[in-house]
Amino acid sequence: MLDFAVLPFALFCLIATGTPGPNNMINLAQGVRLGFWRAFPFALGTGLGIASLLIAVSLGLGIAFRELPGLQVVMKAVTLLFLIYLAWMIATAGPLKTDGDSRRIGFLGGVGFQWINPKTWAAAMTMATTYLPADPSLATALSAGAIFCVVGWTTQPVWIGFGTALRGFLSDPARARVFNVVMAALLLAATLPLLFD
């Protein structure tokens, strides 16, 4: 039996993974550029990355992170550089290509991005301190991580689907360029306030 309230926890996971944020802006943009199945590995990676971060935070990494301000500064700097890179990649992606697009963030990028994504850190810290026991067992941390992962795997593909649905409309190069710039700006707008909070 789990020693935390699963339904409120799962609802928080749904809100955290389903609302606009860096992951979903990337999912939307890649859905447009790559189509559903080629964009899907990033969504799979985000689920596992989210789960692994929540497990680590639940088992003590969150305390270490709070106690080491230097680590926070390093993470914010790495995040800022990576976000600028991602925004540049999205903004300069150009029009849609029918012969495929090699510029994508795949499964490993989805996993790794969660470890520097401020929204994921905020969600993991909130969940670990609000919904889980003060000193959770390994089984509790793994169960919470699995729930977060499964909910993420449910919500993230919806954003890819939104992007895929826009492919026809964005087949016009001018519209595609505007969309790319808007998506890059939204990625930064969804992340920078959390980064500098």
Side-chain angles (χ1 to χ4, degrees):
M1 178 140 182
L2 297 176
D3 57 352
F4 64 98
V6 174
L7 192 57
F9 176 81
L11 182 59
F12 184 88
C13 293
L14 182 66
I15 293 165
T17 62
T19 54
N23 287 328
N24 290 330
M25 293 304 100
I26 294 168
N27 281 321
L28 181 65
Q30 289 205 137
V32 168
R33 293 210 48 76
L34 306 170
F36 188 86
W37 292 111
R38 291 192 67 229
F40 191 64
F42 176 79
L44 287 178
T46 61
L48 286 181
I50 284 169
S52 65
L53 181 61
L54 176 59
I55 292 165
V57 165
S58 300
L59 296 177
L61 182 63
I63 294 167
F65 186 76
R66 278 194 305 264
E67 298 298 319
L68 298 170
L71 181 61
Q72 294 178 37
V73 171
V74 169
M75 189 194 91
K76 286 182 178 185
V78 169
T79 302
L80 181 60
L81 292 173
F82 190 64
L83 278 173
I84 290 169
Y85 166 74
L86 286 178
W88 179 256
M89 245 178 70
I90 292 169
T92 62
L96 297 178
K97 298 174 184 156
T98 56
D99 58 348
D101 191 338
S102 60
R103 292 172 30 157
R104 65 177 172 158
I105 307 163
F107 176 81
L108 293 177
V111 173
F113 183 58
Q114 303 325 299
W115 285 79
I116 62 168
N117 180 349
K119 184 179 178 188
T120 306
W121 268 94
M125 298 286 274
T126 300
M127 286 187 271
T129 57
T130 305
Y131 296 98
L132 302 183
D135 190 16
S137 66
L138 178 60
T140 295
L142 290 173
S143 298
I147 292 168
F148 201 6
C149 180
V150 168
V151 173
W153 281 344
T154 304
T155 58
Q156 304 278 302
V158 172
W159 287 86
I160 298 172
F162 290 154
T164 303
L166 290 172
R167 282 173 68 85
F169 176 74
L170 297 173
S171 60
D172 174 80
R175 282 187 229 156
R177 278 191 289 276
V178 169
F179 175 81
N180 291 342
V181 171
V182 168
M183 292 298 6
L186 287 174
L187 175 63
L188 292 173
T191 311
L192 293 179
L194 290 169
L195 193 58
F196 293 109
D197 186 17

